[in-house]
Amino acid sequence: MATFNLLLLPGDGIGPEVMGEVRKIVDFLSRQGVARFESESDLVGGSAFDAHGVAITDAAMKTALAADAVLFGAVGGPKWDKVPYQHRPEAGLLRLRKDLGLFANLRPAICYPALADASSLKRDVVEGLDIVIVRELTGGVYFGEPKEIVTLENGEKRAVDTQIYTTGEIERIARVAFELAKKRGNKVASAEKRNVMKSGVLWNEVVTHVHKNEYPDVALEHVLADNCAMQLVRQPKQYDVLVTDNLFGDVLSDIAAMLTGSLGMLPSASLGAEDAATGKRKALYEPVHGSAPDIAGKGLANPLAMIGSLGMALRYSFNLGDAADALDKAIANVLAAGLRTKDIAAAGQNAVGTTDMGDAVLKEFQKALG
Ligand code: NAD
């Protein structure tokens, strides 16, 4: 039986509550003999600051670097609003992303039929939606230098951000998108703005080159990022895998997120480079939502984004596609049966708490796995 090292970083606010539901599923997988999970847990964010004076300790980072996958809950909250900038809760997540070299961010947007009415778009536009946005996470305008605000001679100020991409950066994110598409609908759309940006021209050229030389059997379409934003709200089901840079990915993935109805439903994965010797990638899985201080400690949080993040880990880090499919099916079944946490309940509909939702998914998962 395969053994995997898993680091659980529940974090702050609702993080530990939703992580609790994931633990139940991990324990079940081990008991069933699907795989052996050697999981460790550590502090991150505000809770790490309270205990150790930093947002993540070197020891926790060492465990993260050695792990097959990191599962991350959420960090932050008003309690830590005034801590020194370098120790703010988010610094823990940023260090993890940087030190693990996580350059590819995968955000699925799935609209379960049972939740189609929670979307702001019409049911027929979103029902059955299943797309993944692959966003470049470590390059582009958020990191390019110069990045500054200077005062000009006439007293005016001038702000500069710099969009930079190299061939290698574009090639590796394109490969992640094509590989992913091969396991899904075999279609990639690449979004940039080649009409007004040199980085868009290069992006387009490199993606075209990688496609021609390595993935000619995958369908590739190029789309201007602004048009892509419109298409996402007009006819989102036309896409399968959508690959784009850091800035456009930030915006487009948030648009796609809202198609599905609630923050509590959205998992994500961040992947690093493939190790040449082992073929494994460093990986961190986390829900898109934050620590939700307004509902923390009340047992109200929706655990499905966190559970869906475990599903992504099963698929992408542990090669347990059948278990991942079973978990996705369990989530869909629970929703189809009418179970709702407060964030996804319609007006007047009864809502269940975090543990009831987690238990129901576990029960369906047990059935689906046989
Ligand atoms: P948030 O995602 O925490 O909450 C936004 C709204 O969505 C709240 O009303 C919340 O109750 C609701 N919500 C979020 N997740 C939910 C879930 N699983 N179930 C039910 N409802 C849910 O965003 P925010 O309020 O802007 O930020 C709160 C704190 O979280 C801040 O300190 C922020 O910095 C931090 N944050 C952390 C991360 C992260 O850890 N990756 C991401 C975003 C925000």
Side-chain angles (χ1 to χ4, degrees), residues 14 18 72-78 81 89-90 93 97 262-265 286-295 300-305 341-343:
I14 62 168
V18 292
F72 183 98
V75 292
D81 279 352
E90 290 76 9
L93 180 57
R97 284 186 183 153
S262 167
L263 262 178
M265 294 298 302
E286 58 175 324
V288 169
H289 63 71
S291 58
D294 52 335
I295 56 165
L300 294 175
N302 182 348
L304 294 180
T341 43
K342 205 167 161 223
D343 57 311

Side-chain angles (χ1 to χ4, degrees), residues 42 48 348:
D42 214 320

Side-chain angles (χ1 to χ4, degrees), residues 154-198:
N154 66 2
E156 260 197 302
K157 288 185 175 176
R158 186 181 65 189
V160 182
D161 293 289
T162 309
Q163 164 94 338
I164 303 179
Y165 273 108
T166 61
T167 308
E169 284 174 308
I170 304 169
E171 280 173 351
R172 65 181 186 173
I173 194 77
R175 288 192 185 108
V176 169
F178 285 121
E179 288 293 335
L180 186 61
K182 275 168 56 179
K183 295 184 189 150
R184 296 173 40 94
N186 217 34
K187 261 187 354 185
V188 170
S190 167
E192 30 63 14
K193 282 201 53 99
R194 63 188 177 281
N195 52 342
V196 283
M197 296 171 78
K198 287 291 174 198

Side-chain angles (χ1 to χ4, degrees), residues 195-249:
N195 52 342
V196 283
M197 296 171 78
K198 287 291 174 198
S199 55
V201 172
L202 184 67
W203 184 280
N204 184 284
E205 275 174 22
V206 175
V207 172
T208 303
H209 189 75
V210 170
H211 173 247
K212 187 161 169 260
N213 287 305
E214 300 173 41
Y215 302 95
D217 296 337
V218 179
L220 171 67
E221 167 198 4
H222 297 283
V223 56
L224 294 176
D226 48 343
N227 181 22
C228 185
M230 288 196 282
Q231 295 302 326
L232 274 175
V233 287
R234 196 180 72 89
Q235 206 190 337
K237 285 188 264 183
Q238 68 184 285
Y239 295 122
D240 175 27
V241 175
L242 215 147
V243 62
T244 190
D245 73 12
N246 202 345
L247 173 64
F248 296 139

